């Protein structure tokens, strides 16, 4: 429960509220019985995530990501509630096999967010689990396909040897005329019509 608090209401259910203002975000998000049951299970509600020590923030996100050995990969990266929510949303899409598109102005932290998430998932293992492809106006379809095949090799090794996933990150993907090749990889999951390696 990050970014909102829970508050029982008079209708025998629970509302989600905005922590600082107390404004109701959504009414009746769960029954009071479920809320009380979760409290008995010691599920932590109404914690100010931004007020937690950094180590505890890392531990909590690692619990959600299924990372056994929490390790802070970059102490200079600000772990705000907003950044954590973005990482969790990205993680859920990864788990479902859905491509992720992150939009924002140049320099707003898109690449750094993904780098932090990848390094966190790596837990100190000395391997590369993020293939960064810097796309520009001169990027060709062949260049994209080459990077995809390199990423598949990395992903295969990481999955077999370490049991974790890898990320292929197209930075500034909208700047190339070969955008159809990126679409083929992300949406069709093929390279020149051939299927990508499964489970990579």
């Amino acid at each position: 429960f990050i970014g909102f608090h829970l508050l029982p209401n008079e209708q025998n259910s629970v509302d989600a509220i905005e922590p600082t203002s107390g404004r109701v975000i959504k009414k009746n998000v769960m029954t009071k019985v479920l809320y009380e049951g979760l409290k008995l299970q010691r599920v932590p509600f109404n914690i100010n995530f931004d007020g937690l020590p950094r180590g505890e923030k890392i531990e909590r996100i690692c619990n959600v990501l299924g990372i056994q050995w929490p390790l802070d990969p970059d102490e200079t990266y600000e772990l705000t509630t907003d950044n954590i929510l973005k990482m969790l949303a990205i993680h859920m899409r990864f788990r479902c096999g859905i491509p992720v598109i992150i939009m924002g102005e140049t320099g707003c932290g898109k690449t750094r967010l993904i780098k932090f998430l990848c390094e966190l998932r790596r837990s100190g293992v000395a391997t590369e689990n993020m293939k960064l492809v810097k796309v520009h106006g001169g990027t060709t379809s062949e260049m994209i396909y080459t990077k995809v095949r390199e990423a598949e090799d990395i992903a295969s090794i990481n999955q077999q040897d370490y049991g974790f996933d890898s990320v292929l990150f197209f930075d500034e993907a909208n700047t190339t005329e070969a955008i159809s090749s990126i679409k083929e990889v992300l949406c069709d999951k093929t390279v020149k019509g051939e299927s990508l390696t499964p489970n990579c």
Side-chain angles (χ1 to χ4, degrees), residues 38-169:
L38 290 171
K39 275 178 58 177
L40 287 173
Q41 298 288 327
R42 295 192 175 117
V43 172
F45 297 122
N46 304 346
I47 292 171
N48 176 6
F49 191 81
D50 285 329
L52 293 175
R54 185 174 180 86
E56 202 170 326
K57 289 179 182 180
I58 294 285
E59 247 180 70
R60 286 176 186 244
I61 189 155
C62 286
N63 283 339
V64 174
L65 298 178
I67 298 168
Q68 274 186 305
W69 312 107
L71 188 69
D72 191 344
D74 181 0
E75 293 177 5
T76 65
Y77 188 74
E78 193 62 40
L79 290 174
T80 62
T81 298
D82 186 53
N83 286 341
I84 296 297
L85 289 173
K86 288 174 185 172
M87 284 187 239
L88 293 175
I90 291 165
H91 172 71
M92 295 313 283
R93 291 182 71 91
F94 284 168
R95 284 187 59 188
C96 297
I98 302 170
V100 177
I101 297 175
I102 304 172
M103 295 171 53
E105 296 295 321
T106 302
C108 72
K110 302 177 295 290
T111 305
R112 191 155 184 222
L113 176 90
I114 296 298
K115 277 185 179 177
F116 184 87
L117 179 59
C118 288
E119 289 173 9
L120 191 65
R121 290 169 64 167
R122 205 176 55 191
S123 291
V125 175
T127 187
E128 179 187 13
N129 68 336
M130 176 180 159
K131 186 71 176 171
L132 177 63
V133 181
K134 294 217 177 249
V135 180
H136 50 78
T139 302
T140 64
S141 292
E142 207 50 53
M143 293 163 81
I144 289 167
Y145 295 143
T146 300
K147 294 294 185 182
V148 169
R149 292 303 183 199
E150 289 172 13
E152 278 186 309
D153 294 341
I154 291 167
S156 180
I157 291 166
N158 286 339
Q159 195 58 252
Q160 288 173 353
D161 295 354
Y162 308 111
F164 56 72
D165 296 327
S166 302
V167 171
L168 172 60
F169 185 77

